[in-house]
Structures are given as structure tokens and as C-alpha cells.
Amino acid sequence: QVQLVESGGGLARAGGSLRLSCAASGRTFSSYVMGWFRQAPGKEREFVAALNRSGGPTNYASSVKGRFTISRDNAKNTVYLQMNSLKPEDTAVYYCAASMTGWGLNDFGSWGQGTQVTVSS
């Protein structure tokens, strides 16, 4: 089991940027497909982006495509989410997740504690 700790959340203005980081420990980081998910108040958790073991290919939710970029540094056991052109609707708790088996939501078995992102208009 891999342990995940997110950081980098906070408050940003609409149009601004934030960079989230997720540090992993435990089993071999490069064995995992890594993903970012988010959950807004009163809504279900939704997929944001995912990245395969070597760093590509990637997959993005349509709502963030072209604005967010997921990347990883296997030497540092870290995955990142660069968020640009932020919108108030991006406000949510963002979770990092790891999967040994695939890209589907049910494949992600390890989760971080989440980091709050708030975007003001």
C-alpha cells in the first residue's frame, strides 16, 4: 500500500494558478497509475486527471482539459497538478490517488487526505 500526502492547495482568484503536489511513500511509486480527483460540497467525487506509470499518456476530464496539467517525477515519488485559468467552479477538495490495476475510478485503491482549493470570483 502506498501512502499519499497532498499539498499546495489554498485560495486563488479566478484566472489564477495553483500547483498541487502529492508525495508518495511505501511501495514503488513508478508501479502506480496516478490520478487526481475532486469533490465539491454537496457533490460526488469526480475524476480530474490521470497519468500512466512512465509519465504519459494522460487523461483529463473535459472540464479541465487545456487548463490543468498532470505530471510526475518518479525520482522524487511525486505527482503534480498544475492548475491554470482557475474558475470558481474548480473550488473543491482535491485528492491524489494511486492505482495498480488501471484508470477507472474503482481501480484507485490508495487515497490521500485531500487539500482544499478555493477559487474566488
Side-chain angles (χ1 to χ4, degrees):
Q1 192 86 359
V2 64
Q3 290 76 46
L4 304 171
V5 178
E6 302 97 334
S7 61
L11 178 63
R13 290 188 175 183
S17 298
L18 284 173
R19 188 195 197 201
L20 305 183
S21 298
C22 173
S25 61
R27 294 182 61 184
T28 306
F29 177 70
S30 59
S31 300
Y32 290 90
V33 171
M34 297 301 298
W36 287 96
F37 295 77
R38 66 187 183 186
Q39 187 167 18
K43 295 187 177 182
E44 293 186 353
R45 190 171 298 187
E46 64 175 1
F47 168 79
V48 175
L51 178 66
N52 84 343
R53 295 168 178 83
S54 64
T58 56
N59 189 26
Y60 294 94
S62 58
S63 58
V64 306
K65 192 173 293 185
R67 299 189 298 121
F68 290 10
T69 302
I70 186 172
S71 62
R72 68 192 295 164
D73 186 337
N74 286 343
K76 295 182 178 180
N77 283 7
T78 302
V79 62
Y80 306 97
L81 186 68
Q82 178 67 45
M83 304 185 295
N84 298 330
S85 301
L86 283 164
K87 303 175 181 180
E89 51 264 44
D90 294 320
T91 295
V93 177
Y94 283 72
Y95 297 90
C96 173
S99 167
M100 285 287 285
T101 56
W103 295 69
L105 176 61
N106 293 332
D107 292 313
F108 288 89
S110 298
W111 295 81
Q113 82 289 349
T115 185
Q116 176 70 46
V117 171
T118 303
V119 183
S120 63
S121 57

